[in-house]
Amino acid sequence: MQRGVFITFEGGEGTGKSTQIARLGEHLRGRGFEVVITREPGGTPVAEAARAILLDPELDPDPLSELFLLAAARRDLVERVIRPALERGAVVLCDRYTDSSVVYQGMVGGVGREAVEEINRLATGGLVPGRTFLLDLDPETGMERTRRRNGAVGGRSRFDEKPLQFHRRVRDAYLELALEDTVRFRVLPAEEDEETLFGRLLEELPEGLR
Ligand code: TYD
């Protein structure tokens, strides 16, 4: 039985997902909810090990290999962290989830949507978020933000290195997904300043958290 609320955040590079997640976590904790914040790929030792492989600029797995690594990481995270938290009644905020694989590996990477959706179902046991926020941003702005961030903290991931055209396709694919499921998705314009964006996000929280 699932009593908690599962919220995911999706979007391209530099859209400010992690900032909004941290703010929302603080907001909800202030209102007395147990909040679990996690991210994909990652969030458990097994999944963080898979993440290191996935983001290593020295390695070059093809999109189907990426999908299997991501699926292993996802299953571990769902079984050990997300599902137990939801069963306790917590709010789970996850930075990327199944839609990232549908977009990056399935639609842009060429693995195909159906294959990715099937693997996602296997990996998650069919666990679907109650709400997904898509932070939508012009990829040029997003990449510029990512460059500045990486300049500050050092290190670039394999995905940051892809050409602008790749990031444009990622944006279009996300918008297509969001249009198909307007019950689960909310698209938020991420060029807004942090405060305005957060205000809009609060308005779109699922019932029970508002
Ligand atoms: P990360 O540094 O966490 O980027 P971001 O801050 O943009 O979330 O790197 C995660 C990268 O992994 C990101 O570029 C997208 C990619 N990814 C996939 O390709 N498929 C997936 O299923 C997931 C979860 C991530």
Side-chain angles (χ1 to χ4, degrees):
M1 190 191 56
Q2 180 185 319
R3 296 186 297 124
V5 184
F6 184 24
I7 302 178
T8 59
F9 291 75
E10 298 281 355
E13 324 298 309
T15 50
K17 295 190 302 298
S18 46
T19 307
Q20 295 295 323
I21 290 171
R23 287 195 66 160
L24 180 60
E26 209 173 301
H27 171 85
L28 292 172
R29 281 182 187 129
R31 297 193 45 213
F33 291 98
E34 184 200 349
V35 179
V36 173
I37 294 179
T38 189
R39 68 164 180 186
E40 272 212 51
T44 70
V46 167
E48 290 291 337
R51 177 186 180 86
I53 299 174
L54 279 158
L55 300 189
D56 186 342
E58 302 294 317
L59 304 177
D60 189 25
D62 78 351
L64 187 57
S65 305
E66 280 175 4
L67 178 65
F68 288 126
L69 282 163
L70 286 157
R74 183 163 297 139
R75 170 165 172 77
D76 201 60
L77 182 69
V78 167
E79 291 308 310
R80 292 179 199 234
V81 176
I82 299 178
R83 210 185 294 281
L86 293 174
E87 280 166 5
R88 288 197 304 274
V91 180
V92 177
L93 308 179
C94 193
D95 189 344
R96 298 190 180 280
Y97 186 58
T98 48
D99 298 309
S100 281
S101 294
V102 173
V103 166
Y104 284 82
Q105 282 67 45
M107 296 164 82
V108 177
V111 171
R113 258 184 88 163
E114 274 163 35
V116 176
E117 281 165 0
E118 184 58 33
I119 302 283
N120 276 342
R121 252 191 307 278
L122 269 172
T124 64
L127 180 66
V128 177
R131 168 106 324 136
T132 297
F133 289 110
L134 172 57
L135 273 57
D136 178 56
L137 184 65
D138 167 48
E140 270 177 86
T141 312
M143 286 177 76
E144 181 49 40
R145 287 188 191 171
T146 305
R147 264 193 293 274
R148 261 183 276 134
R149 181 187 67 184
N150 288 343
V153 298
R156 293 167 63 77
S157 92
R158 211 159 54 78
F159 290 87
D160 299 333
E161 307 283 347
K162 306 253 189 199
L164 186 59
Q165 189 52 31
F166 172 88
H167 297 283
R168 290 213 175 97
R169 291 173 64 203
V170 166
R171 183 195 201 183
D172 291 346
Y174 268 126
L175 288 171
E176 192 180 322
L177 279 192
L179 270 178
E180 281 174 23
D181 187 349
T182 54
V183 175
R184 175 163 68 90
F185 275 96
R186 290 293 183 276
V187 181
L188 301 174
E191 63 279 346
E192 306 269 29
D193 63 87
E194 191 188 309
E195 198 62 38
T196 311
L197 183 54
F198 187 60
R200 298 188 63 142
L201 191 155
L202 289 182
E203 285 169 19
E204 302 292 350
L205 283 178
E207 209 117 331
L209 295 184
R210 255 174 272 162

